[in-house]
Every structure is written in C-alpha cells, then in structure tokens.
C-alpha cells in the first residue's frame, strides 16, 4: 500500500513565517529565505530603472507597462513569485483587486541566488513558458550577468547575455539603454 501524495495548498503558503518566500510548483511547496542584500539591490535598481521609462513613461520612455516587484502569480495550479514582472497595459488595463494575478505577465525577471537558482531555472522557467510569458530575464548578481530569453512556441530562446559594466538594449525593453553596472554591489 502506498501513501497518497499530498499536494500543497494556498493555506500552506499562508502558514509560512514572514521571513520565508513560498511558491507552489507542480503541486509541491518550495520555500527559500528572503533575499540577501546583493540580490535585493539588483531587484530594486532594475525595477526602478524599468519603471521610470516603461511604467511611468519618463526619461524618454514609451510607458505602457505595469512593472511590479514580487507579484504573486496564479498560473493554473502553480503559485509563483517572480522577483520582477511586467504586463503591457494593452493586455492588463487595470491592476486586479485581488492580491494576485491570474493573467500571465509579458515579462518576468528572476534574480538568481544560491538558494533559488536551481528552482528558478529548472522549475519556474518551464512554468512561465507554458503559461505564455513572452520574455524572461535571469540576473546573477554574483556573476554580474543578465541573460535574456524569448518564448518561442513554449521554449526559451537565448537572445543574449550581458555583464559587468555593459550598456544594453534588451527586449522587450530595448527602447531604452540600460547600464548594468548599477545592478552590482561592489
């Protein structure tokens, strides 16, 4: 006789301590501690650098996006929390009243850390592709790199990788040049 498999529930997420981030991926609960300062810096700087031109239409940017830090996504049975996510306002004219999003974002960004890199790459990226997320960036503050991917029929195509002090125009935000050096803690 085999034991029945218990799938994680939303109540399992709500029961986690405040210093733990939880996600449900393929029915399993995945947890990790809140990010290190190096990780938080990259997330904060990148979110701000994108929000001004794309979220608010400032600094010669086109606007037209919602850029959010750590939104909760309900994508089918999966509950995911990307470090950053963006929706084109033409697809999401208003933010939902709920504490989560059921509409997949157009772009996600995961800031890799030793505690999250495997889950981000091996588990979450396939979920994002299946849900129809069009673009994904992986930022590694330790390696000082940014990798950009585009969803091509449910598979991720590497658009390019940048690092160090590079200045880059990266889809879907290639209307504005980003300076990567501000993402890295020295």
């Amino acid at each position: 006789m085999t034991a029945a498999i218990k799938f994680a529930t939303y109540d399992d997420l709500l029961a986690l301590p405040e210093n733990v981030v939880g996600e449900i991926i393929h029915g399993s609960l995945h947890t990790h501690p809140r990010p290190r300062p190096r990780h938080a810096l990259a997330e904060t700087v990148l979110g701000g650098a994108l929000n001004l031109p794309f979220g608010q239409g400032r600094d010669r940017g086109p606007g037209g996006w919602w850029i959010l830090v750590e939104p909760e996504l309900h994508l089918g049975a999966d509950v995911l929390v990307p470090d950053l996510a963006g929706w084109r306002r033409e697809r999401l004219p208003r933010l939902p009243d709920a504490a989560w999003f059921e509409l997949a974002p157009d772009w996600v960004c995961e800031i890799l850390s030793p505690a999250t890199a495997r889950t981000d790459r091996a588990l979450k990226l396939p979920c994002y592709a299946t849900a129809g997320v069009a673009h994904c960036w992986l930022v590694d503050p330790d390696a000082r790199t940014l990798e950009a991917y585009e969803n091509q029929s449910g598979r991720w195509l590497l658009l390019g990788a940048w690092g160090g002090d590079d200045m880059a125009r990266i889809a879907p935000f290639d209307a504005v040049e980003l300076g990567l050096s501000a993402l890295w803690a020295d």
Side-chain angles (χ1 to χ4, degrees), residues 53-78:
F54 295 96
Q56 298 178 26
R58 293 163 128 184
D59 297 339
R60 291 179 254 143
W65 285 79
W66 298 109
I67 306 291
L68 299 173
V69 175
E70 298 182 4
E72 184 174 308
L73 308 177
H74 290 213
L75 305 177
D78 296 318

Side-chain angles (χ1 to χ4, degrees), residues 9 14 18 23 36 73 76 86 94 113 125 143 148 152 155:
T9 67
L14 295 175
E18 287 186 26
E23 299 173 296
R36 300 177 305 166
L73 308 177
R94 293 180 322 124
S113 72
L125 256 59
Q152 296 285 319
R155 303 185 85 143

Side-chain angles (χ1 to χ4, degrees), residues 77-113:
D78 296 318
V79 179
L80 306 173
V81 182
D83 292 303
L84 294 163
W87 290 259
R88 294 180 190 273
R89 290 187 190 206
E90 62 198 30
R91 286 188 58 238
L92 184 71
R94 293 180 322 124
L95 293 176
D97 290 331
W100 59 83
F101 294 80
E102 293 180 348
L103 179 66
D106 295 288
W107 166 82
V108 294
C109 178
E110 295 290 357
I111 312 293
L112 304 177
S113 72

Side-chain angles (χ1 to χ4, degrees), residues 19-23 25 30-40 42-43 70 80-84 109-126 128 136-142:
N19 64 332
V20 173
V21 176
E23 299 173 296
I25 306 172
H30 294 263
T31 63
H32 58 86
R34 288 277 169 204
R36 300 177 305 166
R38 179 181 303 257
H39 175 116
E43 177 181 76
E70 298 182 4
L80 306 173
V81 182
D83 292 303
L84 294 163
C109 178
E110 295 290 357
I111 312 293
L112 304 177
S113 72
T116 66
R118 183 171 183 257
T119 299
D120 290 341
R121 286 183 181 279
L123 299 178
K124 292 173 72 174
L125 256 59
Y128 293 142
C136 178
W137 292 3
L138 298 178
V139 175
D140 186 335
D142 293 331

